[in-house]
Amino acid sequence: MAVDLAAAAAISPEQRHRQGLTFPNPLAGNPGAPRFPAAVKAKDGTAVQVADPVATRVMVALMDMNAVVGGAACHWGGPAALAELMSAVHGVMFRKTPWHQHYNFGNDAGHTENGVYALKANYGYAGVTVQDLKLFRSIKSKLTGHGESHLFPEGVMISNGPLGSTLPVVQGLAMADVLANKPRTAICVISDGAMMEGEAKESLSAIPGLAGKGLTSPFVLIISDNNTKLSGRIDADAFSMQPSFNALEALGWKVITLANGNDLQAAYTAVEAAVAAAEANPKQPVAVWAKTVKGFGVASTVKSSSGGHGYPLAGGDIAGGKLRAFVVEANAGRPLAPEFESWLKELEDAAAAKAAKDAAKSAAAVPTAAPAAPAVKKDKIQGGFPKGMITAADKGLPVVSVSADLQGSTGVAPFRQKYPQLSFEVGVAEANMISTAAGFSKLGYIPVVDTFVQFGITKGLLPMTMANLSQSAIIAVYSHTGFQDAADGASHQGLYYLAATGAVPQLQQYCPASAEEAEWAMAFAIERFADERKAGHHPDSVLFFCGRENFAVSLKPAGGAYAWGKAMVVADTTAGKAKSVTISANGSLVAHAIKAAEKLAADGIGALVLNNATPNRPDLAGHQAALAKTGGKLVTVEDHQAIGGAGAMLISALVQAGTVPTVKLLGVRGEFGQSSYTADELYDKHGIGTAGIVAAAKAL
């Protein structure tokens, strides 16, 4: 955008500094009345129509099922808990026109964004319709797993997802509004789990301190306190958050306690009162401490220890009537609106048609003379890690598990079930998890931490660096690498984990391609850790990276033995081929590289596929031998940014060693991802899947 120099010169430097750059606000303006309304009374007695939270829950139940049928995981418990509070917040904001000139809004309970999408569809806000909800989390939709402003700028101010990260941004918005002299109120919604994060705790102290100095605009924080996180009850698994909430007043917050955050009128009254109090005294921010019920609206999820955090229904539950029963219960016993009945019937009819098609296909199958080849056994790669941990602990090695709420998703839960006395939960706090583990390491234990890769390498990178600097080695399981966290979208897709950690001293990366390899590698890493300590040496930290989808349980290298630090040959179709290429892959893309080798062989091109499992310490001799066999032609491929990844580290090392191959380096080219039902859709879009590997090899 061009800068108007004449206009800039006409104002004082002080005014120029206070104004900032001028650009149009992309957020949509005020919507009309909600299609499914609920009535509340404002403080002045005015009747106000807000989005019906019951309709929100019904839409979330249906849109989640559409996504589940497509292959994506979803969230139910959080949006169900926050439906009344979200209706109240938006009801208050939309009374001002244009609302975004009066309010800044941020959602730090990113896993509840589907509830906000449903609310927006109710209003028709930013053009969102009920029909749009049916594509939630698909690669065709801007309604991604968490709110993302790069794909939906007219509907999302601040991208969210990693808990505790939005509150500090809203703090910045409130400070910028003061600098710009804009009379706007900041509102941020946060979950109790997010309140455990270090960034959130920093803002909880900073906001009242800065407000007291007149450096923030009026600030309202809405807290959903249901004592529930992904893996269970917060106080039972970790520690009670009640003292933290009780400390808000001592930090300088004015606290409004809401005993029942699932009472719509009470929620509206509390939000309205909080906004009025913050605007009357901008030097004291206001927190609405609301008790909510995760999974509210359906008895089974209310009773669940996790509050039904993930969606409790599977695709097969449609035809059996479970979906209908769930939706009817979520609708609070009312007759379903025609739109919802039609949507539900659409899902039921599609499920019935699929079942009939499958039955017909089965009945029409012609028996073959030869028995069908046995299906390849598949499992998540992370399933191997707890087996390696258990093997080591059974031998008496002092393995401890230190987790931050995601042990069920990262795969280490079986170790924690067998050895609860060796398992510790620090709550939703990745940085604290790693620093805690460093303390265990310093006193002679072998700590294994676990979380999603995006959180481990962002929130945990400085603690990991300091652990190594303190000679306190750690073993980490970082799952959901790259596009493997397909449905959650860009905020959860760590596409730079190798680049971020590869240069940290005394740290080794390992990317297993199968559950069997993960089991072997974990057991090897623990035993080597113990051997190093016994010998009086400081072991290196080891970061294990893996995807989340199912892969062949075993992708044995040639010869059948795994070898740490070796470029393991997992496919070789070069025999008898005049043309051939080396393919170097790791982790989730090893299986795709093997498929590519099969397709290339059918076209007369040989391929030697290497499992480059240790990216920041690549096996030069193994790659040089492969390149000598394939005429110096090399394709590297990874579920990672092309910059700084396995391919870049490998090529740099080869060139420094005097080997200069002809290369096609496949990776993501400086883009963020988005939601999709499966990782393969994103692999194809970014040219790093099987077809992309084949095309690169043929180009060489």
Side-chain angles (χ1 to χ4, degrees):
M1 185 181 71
V3 177
D4 187 340
L5 296 178
I11 63 176
S12 69
E14 173 65 18
Q15 289 174 310
R16 194 177 308 129
H17 293 158
R18 294 184 70 89
Q19 282 185 354
L21 299 175
T22 301
F23 61 93
N25 190 325
L27 290 171
N30 290 52
R35 167 71 181 83
F36 304 103
V40 294
K41 278 196 174 182
K43 184 179 179 181
D44 61 8
T46 305
V48 179
Q49 281 194 336
V50 299
D52 183 4
V54 173
T56 293
R57 279 188 275 270
V58 171
M59 285 188 273
V60 168
L62 291 167
M63 67 195 281
D64 279 6
M65 182 53 80
N66 274 102
V68 165
V69 169
C74 296
H75 296 111
W76 158 260
L82 267 170
E84 282 77 14
L85 284 164
M86 287 295 190
S87 289
V89 167
H90 286 80
V92 168
M93 293 193 302
F94 289 160
R95 293 192 73 187
K96 297 284 185 71
T97 305
W99 75 272
H100 53 69
Q101 293 300 321
H102 296 272
Y103 297 99
N104 278 317
F105 172 73
N107 177 23
D108 207 337
H111 53 280
T112 71
E113 194 72 16
N114 51 343
V116 182
Y117 294 150
L119 182 148
K120 288 173 178 172
N122 192 350
Y123 276 107
Y125 178 79
V128 178
T129 67
V130 169
Q131 196 68 23
D132 292 327
L133 300 181
K134 298 177 183 179
L135 292 175
F136 170 57
R137 289 196 169 206
S138 79
I139 200 168
K140 300 176 182 178
S141 177
K142 62 187 177 184
L143 306 182
T144 50
H146 298 79
E148 291 172 7
S149 61
H150 74 298
L151 295 176
F152 190 19
E154 67 274 30
V156 177
M157 176 70 166
I158 303 167
S159 298
N160 60 41
L163 297 179
S165 63
T166 300
L167 177 56
V169 180
V170 179
Q171 172 188 320
L173 294 175
M175 295 172 72
D177 274 343
V178 169
L179 183 61
N181 197 27
K182 291 183 179 177
R184 190 155 41 194
T185 299
I187 301 178
C188 184
V189 177
I190 194 167
S191 62
D192 47 1
M195 292 273 282
M196 303 179 88
E197 289 282 12
E199 308 102 300
K201 290 179 177 177
E202 290 171 9
S203 283
L204 288 175
S205 297
I207 291 169
L210 294 165
K213 298 176 67 175
L215 294 177
T216 72
S217 62
F219 202 105
V220 174
L221 182 65
I222 311 292
I223 303 166
S224 175
D225 172 18
N226 43 59
N227 189 34
T228 313
K229 52 188 179 61
L230 186 151
S231 60
R233 303 301 178 187
I234 291 176
D235 58 0
D237 292 350
F239 51 84
S240 174
M241 285 291 289
Q242 301 311 298
S244 297
F245 297 136
N246 289 331
L248 288 170
E249 286 189 352
L251 289 173
W253 292 83
K254 176 181 174 64
V255 178
I256 295 175
T257 302
L258 177 58
N260 185 358
N262 295 115
D263 180 310
L264 179 60
Q265 179 61 62
Y268 187 90
T269 299
V271 172
E272 188 182 37
V275 169
E279 291 176 349
N281 181 15
K283 289 194 171 185
Q284 184 177 34
V286 181
V288 176
W289 177 8
K291 292 285 187 178
T292 58
V293 178
K294 198 166 183 180
F296 186 81
V298 174
S300 61
T301 53
V302 169
K303 294 175 184 176
S304 166
S305 63
S306 68
H309 182 89
Y311 194 50
L313 301 180
D317 291 334
I318 302 175
K322 288 185 180 179
L323 174 62
R324 178 169 288 275
F326 192 93
V327 170
V328 167
E329 186 176 356
N331 201 43
R334 309 174 191 171
L336 287 174
E339 292 96 325
F340 299 155
E341 176 60 42
S342 173
W343 188 355
L344 178 57
K345 190 71 165 55
E346 182 182 306
L347 283 162
E348 290 175 330
D349 289 347
K354 182 180 183 301
K357 183 178 179 180
D358 291 345
K361 185 177 179 180
S362 177
V366 178
T368 56
V376 175
K377 186 178 180 182
K378 293 190 174 185
D379 196 2
K380 296 183 185 298
I381 294 173
Q382 60 258 47
F385 292 126
K387 294 179 181 178
M389 295 166 67
I390 289 170
T391 297
D394 286 348
K395 291 180 179 179
L397 294 176
V399 181
V400 295
S401 168
V402 184
S403 288
D405 190 35
L406 293 175
Q407 55 268 25
S409 299
T410 59
V412 304
F415 173 85
R416 298 173 66 87
Q417 291 164 4
K418 180 168 184 181
Y419 286 106
Q421 73 276 21
L422 300 176
S423 301
F424 305 90
E425 166 72 61
V426 299
V428 186
E430 294 80 11
N432 187 266
M433 171 185 70
I434 293 171
S435 295
T436 298
F440 273 99
S441 178
K442 198 70 175 177
L443 292 184
Y445 294 92
I446 304 174
V448 180
V449 300
D450 66 283
T451 187
F452 291 179
V453 68
Q454 179 75 315
F455 309 150
I457 60 102
T458 53
K459 302 184 182 212
L461 187 54
L462 179 58
M464 182 64 72
T465 301
M466 295 308 296
N468 283 5
L469 187 58
S470 301
Q471 302 85 48
S472 301
I474 292 168
I475 297 174
V477 173
Y478 289 162
S479 66
H480 294 57
T481 51
F483 290 140
Q484 280 288 299
D485 198 355
D488 277 328
S491 67
H492 281 49
Q493 290 163 354
L495 290 166
Y496 40 84
Y497 54 96
L498 298 176
T501 60
V504 176
Q506 298 154 31
L507 183 150
Q508 297 185 33
Q509 301 171 330
Y510 197 103
C511 305
S514 69
E516 182 182 79
E517 184 183 356
E519 179 181 353
W520 168 83
M522 175 60 80
F524 180 93
I526 293 172
E527 294 222 20
R528 187 177 63 176
F529 189 117
D531 290 342
E532 289 282 300
R533 279 278 167 82
K534 289 174 185 175
H537 302 146
H538 298 301
D540 288 348
S541 288
V542 176
L543 306 190
F544 286 108
F545 299 111
C546 68
R548 71 174 297 272
E549 296 179 359
N550 288 330
F551 295 86
V553 168
S554 177
L555 291 174
K556 278 274 176 110
Y562 296 106
W564 192 287
K566 298 297 182 183
M568 296 173 282
V569 178
V570 290
D572 187 351
T573 61
T574 59
K577 302 292 194 303
K579 299 178 179 179
S580 59
V581 63
T582 294
I583 304 173
S584 181
N586 65 71
S588 304
L589 286 180
V590 170
H592 289 75
I594 293 172
K595 289 180 184 177
E598 294 168 356
K599 291 181 179 293
L600 288 166
D603 291 336
I605 300 173
L608 200 161
V609 181
L610 299 178
N611 175 2
N612 178 25
T614 54
N616 71 330
R617 299 190 185 180
D619 175 13
L620 293 183
H623 280 88
Q624 288 168 330
L627 289 167
K629 189 175 181 179
T630 60
K633 296 180 178 65
L634 173 65
V635 174
T636 70
V637 61
E638 56 199 303
D639 186 1
H640 188 279
Q641 295 288 347
I643 295 175
M649 289 188 280
L650 170 62
I651 294 164
S652 174
L654 285 171
V655 171
Q656 290 184 72
T659 301
V660 184
T662 304
V663 180
K664 289 287 185 182
L665 192 159
L666 302 184
V668 183
R669 298 290 172 175
E671 298 179 67
F672 286 109
Q674 66 184 91
S675 286
S676 68
Y677 290 155
T678 66
D680 281 359
E681 294 176 291
L682 291 165
Y683 291 163
D684 290 342
K685 178 176 179 178
H686 292 270
I688 60 175
T690 301
I693 300 170
V694 169
K698 288 183 175 180
L700 288 177

